[in-house]
Coordinates of all heavy atoms in Angstrom, one line a residue:
M1 N 137.0 -48.7 -70.8 CA 137.1 -49.2 -69.4 C 135.8 -49.9 -69.1 O 134.7 -49.3 -69.3 CB 137.4 -47.9 -68.6 CG 137.7 -48.3 -67.2 SD 138.1 -46.8 -66.1 CE 139.8 -46.5 -66.6
D2 N 135.9 -51.0 -68.5 CA 134.7 -51.7 -68.1 C 134.1 -51.2 -66.8 O 134.7 -50.4 -66.1 CB 135.0 -53.2 -68.0 CG 135.9 -53.6 -66.8 OD1 136.7 -52.7 -66.5 OD2 135.8 -54.7 -66.3
N3 N 132.9 -51.5 -66.6 CA 132.1 -51.0 -65.4 C 132.8 -51.3 -64.1 O 132.8 -50.4 -63.2 CB 130.7 -51.5 -65.4 CG 129.7 -50.6 -66.0 OD1 130.1 -49.5 -66.3 ND2 128.5 -51.0 -66.1
R4 N 133.3 -52.5 -63.9 CA 133.9 -52.8 -62.6 C 135.1 -52.0 -62.3 O 135.3 -51.5 -61.2 CB 134.3 -54.3 -62.6 CG 134.7 -54.8 -61.3 CD 134.9 -56.3 -61.4 NE 134.2 -56.8 -60.2 CZ 133.8 -58.0 -60.0 NH1 133.9 -58.9 -61.0 NH2 133.1 -58.3 -58.9
T5 N 136.0 -51.8 -63.3 CA 137.2 -51.0 -63.1 C 136.8 -49.5 -62.9 O 137.4 -48.8 -62.0 CB 138.1 -51.1 -64.3 OG1 138.4 -52.4 -64.5 CG2 139.4 -50.3 -64.1
L6 N 135.8 -49.0 -63.6 CA 135.4 -47.6 -63.5 C 134.8 -47.4 -62.1 O 135.0 -46.4 -61.5 CB 134.3 -47.3 -64.6 CG 133.9 -45.9 -64.8 CD1 135.1 -45.1 -65.2 CD2 132.8 -45.8 -65.8
L7 N 134.0 -48.4 -61.6 CA 133.4 -48.2 -60.3 C 134.4 -48.3 -59.2 O 134.4 -47.5 -58.3 CB 132.3 -49.3 -60.1 CG 131.5 -49.2 -58.8 CD1 130.7 -47.9 -58.8 CD2 130.5 -50.4 -58.7
K8 N 135.4 -49.2 -59.3 CA 136.5 -49.2 -58.3 C 137.3 -47.9 -58.3 O 137.6 -47.4 -57.2 CB 137.4 -50.4 -58.6 CG 136.8 -51.7 -58.2 CD 137.8 -52.8 -58.6 CE 137.2 -54.2 -58.3 NZ 138.2 -55.3 -58.7
T9 N 137.6 -47.4 -59.5 CA 138.3 -46.2 -59.6 C 137.6 -45.0 -58.9 O 138.2 -44.2 -58.2 CB 138.6 -45.8 -61.0 OG1 139.3 -46.9 -61.6 CG2 139.4 -44.5 -61.2
G10 N 136.3 -44.9 -59.2 CA 135.5 -43.9 -58.6 C 135.4 -44.0 -57.1 O 135.5 -43.0 -56.4
I11 N 135.2 -45.2 -56.6 CA 135.1 -45.3 -55.1 C 136.4 -45.1 -54.4 O 136.4 -44.4 -53.4 CB 134.5 -46.7 -54.8 CG1 133.0 -46.8 -55.3 CG2 134.6 -47.0 -53.3 CD1 132.5 -48.2 -55.2
V12 N 137.5 -45.6 -54.9 CA 138.8 -45.4 -54.3 C 139.2 -43.9 -54.3 O 139.6 -43.4 -53.4 CB 139.8 -46.3 -54.9 CG1 141.2 -45.9 -54.4 CG2 139.6 -47.8 -54.6
G13 N 139.0 -43.3 -55.5 CA 139.3 -41.9 -55.6 C 138.5 -41.0 -54.7 O 139.0 -40.1 -54.1
T14 N 137.2 -41.3 -54.6 CA 136.3 -40.6 -53.7 C 136.8 -40.7 -52.3 O 136.8 -39.7 -51.5 CB 134.9 -41.0 -53.9 OG1 134.5 -40.8 -55.2 CG2 134.0 -40.2 -52.9
A15 N 137.1 -41.9 -51.9 CA 137.5 -42.2 -50.5 C 138.8 -41.4 -50.2 O 139.0 -40.8 -49.1 CB 137.7 -43.7 -50.2
V16 N 139.8 -41.5 -51.1 CA 141.1 -40.8 -50.9 C 140.9 -39.3 -50.8 O 141.4 -38.7 -49.9 CB 142.1 -41.2 -51.9 CG1 143.3 -40.4 -51.9 CG2 142.5 -42.7 -51.8
A17 N 140.2 -38.8 -51.7 CA 139.9 -37.3 -51.7 C 139.2 -36.9 -50.5 O 139.5 -35.8 -49.9 CB 139.2 -36.9 -53.0
A18 N 138.2 -37.7 -50.1 CA 137.4 -37.3 -48.9 C 138.2 -37.3 -47.6 O 138.1 -36.4 -46.8 CB 136.2 -38.2 -48.8
V19 N 139.1 -38.4 -47.5 CA 140.0 -38.5 -46.3 C 140.9 -37.3 -46.3 O 141.2 -36.7 -45.3 CB 140.7 -39.8 -46.3 CG1 141.8 -39.8 -45.3 CG2 139.7 -40.9 -46.0
C20 N 141.5 -37.0 -47.5 CA 142.5 -35.8 -47.5 C 141.8 -34.5 -47.3 O 142.4 -33.6 -46.8 CB 143.2 -35.9 -48.8 SG 144.4 -37.2 -49.0
C21 N 140.5 -34.4 -47.7 CA 139.8 -33.1 -47.5 C 139.4 -32.9 -46.0 O 139.4 -31.8 -45.5 CB 138.6 -33.1 -48.3 SG 138.9 -32.8 -50.1
T22 N 139.0 -34.0 -45.4 CA 138.4 -33.8 -44.0 C 139.4 -34.0 -42.9 O 139.0 -33.7 -41.8 CB 137.2 -34.8 -43.9 OG1 137.7 -36.1 -44.1 CG2 136.1 -34.5 -44.9
T23 N 140.5 -34.6 -43.1 CA 141.5 -34.8 -42.1 C 142.8 -34.2 -42.4 O 143.1 -33.9 -43.6 CB 141.7 -36.4 -41.8 OG1 142.2 -36.9 -43.0 CG2 140.4 -37.1 -41.5
P24 N 143.6 -33.9 -41.4 CA 144.8 -33.2 -41.6 C 146.0 -34.2 -42.0 O 147.1 -33.9 -41.9 CB 145.1 -32.6 -40.3 CG 144.4 -33.4 -39.3 CD 143.2 -33.9 -40.0
I25 N 145.6 -35.4 -42.5 CA 146.7 -36.4 -42.8 C 147.6 -35.9 -43.9 O 148.8 -36.0 -43.8 CB 146.0 -37.7 -43.2 CG1 145.3 -38.4 -42.0 CG2 147.0 -38.7 -43.8 CD1 144.5 -39.6 -42.4
F26 N 147.0 -35.3 -44.9 CA 147.8 -34.9 -46.0 C 148.7 -33.7 -45.6 O 149.8 -33.5 -46.0 CB 146.9 -34.5 -47.2 CG 147.7 -34.5 -48.5 CD1 148.3 -35.6 -49.0 CD2 147.7 -33.3 -49.3 CE1 148.9 -35.6 -50.2 CE2 148.4 -33.3 -50.5 CZ 149.0 -34.5 -51.0
V27 N 148.2 -32.8 -44.8 CA 149.0 -31.7 -44.3 C 150.1 -32.1 -43.4 O 151.2 -31.6 -43.5 CB 148.0 -30.7 -43.5 CG1 148.8 -29.6 -42.9 CG2 147.0 -30.1 -44.4
I28 N 149.9 -33.1 -42.6 CA 151.0 -33.7 -41.8 C 152.0 -34.3 -42.6 O 153.2 -34.1 -42.4 CB 150.4 -34.7 -40.7 CG1 149.5 -33.9 -39.7 CG2 151.5 -35.5 -40.0 CD1 148.7 -34.9 -38.8
L29 N 151.6 -35.0 -43.7 CA 152.5 -35.7 -44.6 C 153.4 -34.6 -45.3 O 154.6 -34.7 -45.4 CB 151.8 -36.5 -45.6 CG 152.6 -37.2 -46.7 CD1 153.5 -38.3 -46.0 CD2 151.8 -37.8 -47.7
L30 N 152.7 -33.5 -45.8 CA 153.5 -32.5 -46.5 C 154.5 -31.8 -45.5 O 155.6 -31.5 -45.9 CB 152.5 -31.4 -47.0 CG 151.8 -31.8 -48.3 CD1 150.8 -30.7 -48.7 CD2 152.7 -32.1 -49.4
S31 N 154.1 -31.6 -44.3 CA 155.0 -30.9 -43.3 C 156.1 -31.8 -43.0 O 157.2 -31.3 -42.8 CB 154.2 -30.5 -42.1 OG 153.7 -31.6 -41.4
A32 N 155.9 -33.1 -43.0 CA 157.0 -34.1 -42.7 C 158.0 -34.1 -43.8 O 159.2 -34.3 -43.6 CB 156.5 -35.5 -42.5
L33 N 157.5 -33.8 -45.0 CA 158.4 -33.8 -46.2 C 159.0 -32.4 -46.4 O 159.8 -32.2 -47.3 CB 157.6 -34.2 -47.5 CG 157.1 -35.6 -47.5 CD1 156.3 -35.8 -48.7 CD2 158.3 -36.6 -47.4
G34 N 158.6 -31.4 -45.6 CA 159.1 -30.1 -45.8 C 158.4 -29.3 -46.8 O 158.9 -28.3 -47.3
L35 N 157.2 -29.7 -47.2 CA 156.5 -29.0 -48.2 C 155.2 -28.4 -47.7 O 154.2 -28.3 -48.4 CB 156.1 -30.0 -49.3 CG 157.3 -30.7 -50.0 CD1 156.8 -31.8 -50.9 CD2 158.1 -29.7 -50.8
S36 N 155.2 -27.9 -46.5 CA 154.0 -27.4 -45.8 C 153.5 -26.1 -46.5 O 152.3 -25.7 -46.2 CB 154.2 -27.2 -44.3 OG 155.3 -26.3 -44.1
A37 N 154.3 -25.4 -47.2 CA 153.8 -24.2 -47.9 C 152.8 -24.6 -49.0 O 152.0 -23.7 -49.3 CB 155.0 -23.5 -48.6
W38 N 152.7 -25.8 -49.4 CA 151.7 -26.2 -50.4 C 150.3 -26.5 -49.7 O 149.3 -26.6 -50.5 CB 152.1 -27.5 -51.1 CG 153.2 -27.2 -52.1 CD1 153.9 -26.1 -52.4 CD2 153.8 -28.2 -52.9 NE1 154.8 -26.3 -53.3 CE2 154.8 -27.6 -53.7 CE3 153.6 -29.6 -53.1 CZ2 155.6 -28.3 -54.6 CZ3 154.4 -30.3 -54.0 CH2 155.4 -29.6 -54.7
A39 N 150.3 -26.5 -48.4 CA 149.0 -26.8 -47.7 C 147.9 -25.8 -48.0 O 146.7 -26.2 -48.0 CB 149.3 -26.9 -46.2
G40 N 148.3 -24.6 -48.3 CA 147.3 -23.6 -48.6 C 146.6 -23.8 -49.9 O 145.5 -23.3 -50.2
W41 N 147.2 -24.5 -50.8 CA 146.7 -24.8 -52.2 C 145.9 -26.1 -52.3 O 145.4 -26.5 -53.3 CB 147.8 -24.8 -53.2 CG 148.5 -23.4 -53.3 CD1 149.6 -23.0 -52.7 CD2 148.0 -22.4 -54.1 NE1 149.9 -21.7 -53.0 CE2 148.9 -21.3 -53.9 CE3 146.9 -22.2 -55.0 CZ2 148.7 -20.1 -54.5 CZ3 146.8 -21.0 -55.6 CH2 147.7 -19.9 -55.4
L42 N 145.9 -26.9 -51.2 CA 145.2 -28.2 -51.3 C 143.8 -28.1 -51.6 O 143.3 -29.0 -52.3 CB 145.4 -28.9 -49.9 CG 146.8 -29.4 -49.6 CD1 146.9 -30.1 -48.3 CD2 147.3 -30.3 -50.7
D43 N 143.0 -27.1 -51.1 CA 141.6 -27.0 -51.4 C 141.3 -26.8 -52.9 O 140.3 -27.3 -53.4 CB 141.0 -25.9 -50.6 CG 140.9 -26.2 -49.2 OD1 141.0 -27.4 -48.8 OD2 140.7 -25.3 -48.4
Y44 N 142.3 -26.2 -53.6 CA 142.1 -25.9 -55.0 C 142.3 -27.2 -55.8 O 141.8 -27.3 -57.0 CB 143.1 -24.9 -55.5 CG 142.8 -23.5 -54.9 CD1 143.8 -22.9 -54.2 CD2 141.6 -22.9 -55.1 CE1 143.6 -21.7 -53.6 CE2 141.4 -21.6 -54.5 CZ 142.4 -21.0 -53.8 OH 142.2 -19.8 -53.2
V45 N 142.9 -28.2 -55.3 CA 143.1 -29.5 -56.0 C 142.2 -30.6 -55.4 O 141.6 -31.3 -56.2 CB 144.6 -29.9 -55.8 CG1 144.8 -31.3 -56.4 CG2 145.5 -28.9 -56.4
L46 N 142.1 -30.7 -54.1 CA 141.3 -31.8 -53.5 C 139.8 -31.7 -53.7 O 139.2 -32.7 -53.9 CB 141.7 -32.0 -52.1 CG 143.1 -32.5 -51.8 CD1 143.4 -32.5 -50.3 CD2 143.3 -33.8 -52.4
L47 N 139.3 -30.5 -53.6 CA 137.8 -30.4 -53.7 C 137.3 -30.7 -55.1 O 136.4 -31.5 -55.3 CB 137.3 -29.1 -53.2 CG 137.4 -28.9 -51.7 CD1 137.0 -27.5 -51.3 CD2 136.6 -29.9 -51.0
P48 N 138.0 -30.2 -56.2 CA 137.6 -30.6 -57.5 C 137.8 -32.1 -57.8 O 137.0 -32.7 -58.5 CB 138.5 -29.7 -58.4 CG 138.8 -28.5 -57.6 CD 138.9 -29.0 -56.2
A49 N 138.9 -32.6 -57.2 CA 139.1 -34.1 -57.4 C 138.0 -34.9 -56.7 O 137.6 -35.9 -57.3 CB 140.5 -34.4 -56.8
L50 N 137.6 -34.4 -55.6 CA 136.5 -35.1 -54.9 C 135.2 -35.1 -55.8 O 134.6 -36.1 -55.9 CB 136.2 -34.4 -53.5 CG 135.0 -35.0 -52.7 CD1 135.3 -36.4 -52.3 CD2 134.8 -34.1 -51.5
F51 N 134.9 -33.9 -56.3 CA 133.7 -33.9 -57.2 C 133.8 -34.7 -58.4 O 132.9 -35.3 -58.9 CB 133.4 -32.4 -57.5 CG 133.0 -31.6 -56.3 CD1 133.6 -30.4 -56.1 CD2 132.0 -32.0 -55.4 CE1 133.2 -29.6 -55.0 CE2 131.7 -31.3 -54.3 CZ 132.3 -30.0 -54.1
V52 N 135.0 -34.7 -59.0 CA 135.2 -35.6 -60.2 C 135.0 -37.0 -59.9 O 134.4 -37.8 -60.6 CB 136.6 -35.3 -60.8 CG1 137.0 -36.3 -61.9 CG2 136.7 -33.9 -61.4
F53 N 135.6 -37.5 -58.8 CA 135.5 -38.9 -58.5 C 134.1 -39.3 -58.0 O 133.7 -40.4 -58.3 CB 136.5 -39.3 -57.4 CG 137.9 -39.4 -57.9 CD1 138.9 -38.6 -57.4 CD2 138.2 -40.4 -58.9 CE1 140.2 -38.8 -57.9 CE2 139.5 -40.5 -59.4 CZ 140.5 -39.7 -58.9
V54 N 133.4 -38.4 -57.4 CA 132.0 -38.7 -57.1 C 131.2 -38.8 -58.4 O 130.3 -39.7 -58.5 CB 131.4 -37.6 -56.2 CG1 129.9 -37.7 -56.1 CG2 132.0 -37.7 -54.8
G55 N 131.5 -37.9 -59.4 CA 130.8 -38.0 -60.7 C 131.2 -39.3 -61.4 O 130.3 -39.9 -62.0
V56 N 132.4 -39.8 -61.3 CA 132.8 -41.0 -61.9 C 132.0 -42.2 -61.3 O 131.6 -43.1 -62.0 CB 134.3 -41.2 -61.8 CG1 134.7 -42.7 -62.2 CG2 135.0 -40.3 -62.7
T57 N 131.9 -42.1 -60.0 CA 131.2 -43.2 -59.3 C 129.7 -43.2 -59.7 O 129.1 -44.3 -59.9 CB 131.3 -43.0 -57.7 OG1 132.7 -42.9 -57.4 CG2 130.6 -44.1 -57.0
I58 N 129.1 -42.1 -59.7 CA 127.7 -42.0 -60.1 C 127.5 -42.5 -61.6 O 126.6 -43.2 -61.9 CB 127.1 -40.6 -59.9 CG1 127.0 -40.2 -58.4 CG2 125.8 -40.4 -60.6 CD1 126.8 -38.8 -58.2
Y59 N 128.4 -42.1 -62.4 CA 128.3 -42.5 -63.8 C 128.5 -44.0 -63.9 O 127.7 -44.7 -64.7 CB 129.4 -41.8 -64.6 CG 129.6 -42.3 -66.0 CD1 128.6 -42.0 -67.0 CD2 130.7 -43.1 -66.4 CE1 128.7 -42.5 -68.3 CE2 130.8 -43.6 -67.7 CZ 129.8 -43.3 -68.6 OH 129.9 -43.7 -69.9
A60 N 129.4 -44.6 -63.2 CA 129.6 -46.1 -63.2 C 128.4 -46.8 -62.7 O 128.0 -47.8 -63.2 CB 130.9 -46.4 -62.5
L61 N 127.8 -46.3 -61.6 CA 126.6 -46.9 -61.0 C 125.4 -46.8 -62.0 O 124.7 -47.8 -62.1 CB 126.2 -46.3 -59.7 CG 127.2 -46.6 -58.5 CD1 126.8 -45.8 -57.3 CD2 127.1 -48.1 -58.2
R62 N 125.2 -45.7 -62.7 CA 124.1 -45.6 -63.6 C 124.4 -46.5 -64.8 O 123.4 -47.1 -65.3 CB 124.0 -44.2 -64.1 CG 123.5 -43.2 -63.0 CD 123.2 -41.9 -63.6 NE 122.1 -42.0 -64.5 CZ 121.6 -41.0 -65.1 NH1 122.0 -39.8 -64.9 NH2 120.6 -41.2 -66.0
R63 N 125.6 -46.6 -65.3 CA 125.9 -47.6 -66.4 C 125.7 -49.0 -66.0 O 125.2 -49.8 -66.7 CB 127.4 -47.3 -66.7 CG 127.6 -47.2 -68.2 CD 129.1 -46.9 -68.4 NE 129.7 -48.0 -69.1 CZ 130.9 -48.0 -69.6 NH1 131.7 -47.0 -69.4 NH2 131.3 -49.1 -70.2
R64 N 126.1 -49.3 -64.7 CA 125.9 -50.7 -64.2 C 124.4 -51.0 -64.1 O 124.0 -52.1 -64.5 CB 126.6 -50.8 -62.9 CG 126.6 -52.2 -62.3 CD 127.3 -52.2 -61.0 NE 127.5 -53.6 -60.6 CZ 128.1 -53.9 -59.4 NH1 128.6 -52.9 -58.7 NH2 128.2 -55.1 -59.1
C65 N 123.6 -50.1 -63.6 CA 122.2 -50.3 -63.5 C 121.5 -50.5 -64.9 O 120.6 -51.3 -65.1 CB 121.5 -49.2 -62.8 SG 121.9 -49.2 -61.0
A66 N 122.0 -49.7 -65.8 CA 121.5 -49.8 -67.2 C 121.8 -51.2 -67.8 O 121.0 -51.8 -68.5 CB 122.0 -48.7 -68.1
E67 N 123.0 -51.7 -67.5 CA 123.4 -53.0 -68.1 C 122.6 -54.1 -67.4 O 122.2 -55.1 -68.1 CB 124.9 -53.2 -67.9 CG 125.7 -52.5 -68.9 CD 127.2 -52.8 -68.7 OE1 127.6 -53.5 -67.8 OE2 128.0 -52.2 -69.4
V68 N 122.3 -54.0 -66.1 CA 121.6 -55.0 -65.4 C 120.1 -55.0 -65.9 O 119.5 -56.1 -66.0 CB 121.6 -54.8 -63.9 CG1 120.6 -55.6 -63.1 CG2 123.0 -55.0 -63.4
A69 N 119.6 -53.9 -66.2 CA 118.2 -53.8 -66.6 C 118.1 -54.2 -68.1 O 117.0 -54.3 -68.6 CB 117.7 -52.4 -66.4
G70 N 119.2 -54.4 -68.8 CA 119.1 -54.8 -70.2 C 119.0 -53.6 -71.1 O 118.7 -53.8 -72.3
C71 N 119.1 -52.4 -70.7 CA 119.1 -51.3 -71.5 C 120.3 -51.1 -72.4 O 121.4 -51.6 -72.0 CB 118.9 -50.0 -70.7 SG 117.4 -50.0 -69.7
D72 N 120.2 -50.5 -73.5 CA 121.4 -50.2 -74.3 C 122.1 -49.0 -73.7 O 121.5 -47.9 -73.6 CB 121.0 -49.9 -75.7 CG 122.2 -49.8 -76.7 OD1 123.3 -50.2 -76.3 OD2 122.0 -49.3 -77.8
V73 N 123.4 -49.2 -73.2 CA 124.1 -48.1 -72.5 C 124.4 -46.9 -73.5 O 124.3 -45.8 -73.1 CB 125.4 -48.7 -71.9 CG1 126.2 -47.6 -71.3 CG2 125.1 -49.7 -70.9
G74 N 124.7 -47.2 -74.7 CA 125.0 -46.1 -75.7 C 123.9 -45.8 -76.6 O 124.0 -45.7 -77.8
A75 N 122.7 -45.7 -76.1 CA 121.5 -45.6 -76.9 C 121.5 -44.3 -77.7 O 120.9 -44.2 -78.7 CB 120.2 -45.6 -76.0
G76 N 122.1 -43.2 -77.1 CA 122.1 -41.9 -77.8 C 123.1 -41.8 -78.9 O 123.2 -40.7 -79.5
Q77 N 124.0 -42.7 -79.0 CA 125.1 -42.6 -80.0 C 124.8 -43.3 -81.2 O 124.1 -44.3 -81.3 CB 126.4 -43.2 -79.3 CG 126.7 -42.5 -78.0 CD 127.9 -43.2 -77.4 OE1 128.3 -44.3 -77.8 NE2 128.4 -42.7 -76.3
K78 N 125.4 -42.8 -82.4 CA 125.2 -43.5 -83.6 C 126.1 -44.7 -83.7 O 127.2 -44.7 -83.2 CB 125.6 -42.5 -84.8 CG 124.7 -41.4 -84.9 CD 125.1 -40.5 -86.1 CE 124.1 -39.4 -86.3 NZ 124.5 -38.5 -87.4
R79 N 125.6 -45.7 -84.3 CA 126.4 -47.0 -84.4 C 127.0 -47.1 -85.8 O 126.4 -46.8 -86.8 CB 125.5 -48.2 -84.1 CG 125.0 -48.2 -82.7 CD 124.2 -49.4 -82.5 NE 123.6 -49.3 -81.1 CZ 123.1 -50.4 -80.6 NH1 123.1 -51.6 -81.1 NH2 122.6 -50.3 -79.4
K80 N 128.2 -47.6 -85.8 CA 128.9 -47.8 -87.1 C 128.7 -49.3 -87.5 O 128.8 -50.2 -86.7 CB 130.4 -47.6 -86.9 CG 130.8 -46.1 -86.7 CD 132.2 -46.0 -86.6 CE 132.6 -44.5 -86.3 NZ 134.0 -44.3 -86.1
R81 N 128.4 -49.4 -88.7 CA 128.1 -50.8 -89.2 C 129.1 -51.2 -90.2 O 129.7 -50.5 -91.0 CB 126.7 -50.9 -89.8 CG 125.7 -50.8 -88.8 CD 124.3 -51.0 -89.3 NE 123.3 -50.7 -88.3 CZ 122.1 -51.1 -88.4 NH1 121.7 -51.8 -89.4 NH2 121.3 -50.9 -87.5

């Protein structure tokens, strides 16, 4: 996955997870669909998803900065010849 796609995925995922965590939009949507019993389990899914997407965003930004600086991104890995 290239840096641009990775960064977009991280930012969009973080935004969606943050909006769903901090606002009752997802709960209203679930209740409109008749699935409001699942609302109690949302924290077990949305908070880890938020942390994962924040991690993906940080990873993509670090990778992007390393490429701009001219550093070898995979410096710690063995290369096949």
Side-chain angles (χ1 to χ4, degrees):
M1 189 177 281
D2 66 333
N3 259 353
R4 185 172 231 159
T5 305
L6 191 64
L7 187 59
K8 285 180 185 177
T9 303
I11 291 172
V12 169
T14 300
V16 169
V19 166
C20 288
C21 285
T22 59
T23 62
I25 292 173
F26 201 60
V27 175
I28 293 169
L29 178 68
L30 283 176
S31 63
L33 295 174
L35 302 172
S36 60
W38 287 1
W41 294 95
L42 288 179
D43 289 341
Y44 296 118
V45 176
L46 291 175
L47 289 177
L50 177 65
F51 294 131
V52 167
F53 283 119
V54 167
V56 167
T57 304
I58 291 170
Y59 173 73
L61 287 173
R62 290 188 66 180
R63 227 174 112 176
R64 186 176 187 183
C65 289
E67 284 181 0
V68 169
C71 300
D72 187 13
V73 176
Q77 300 173 355
K78 293 183 180 179
R79 295 182 184 195
K80 295 181 181 179
R81 293 183 184 198

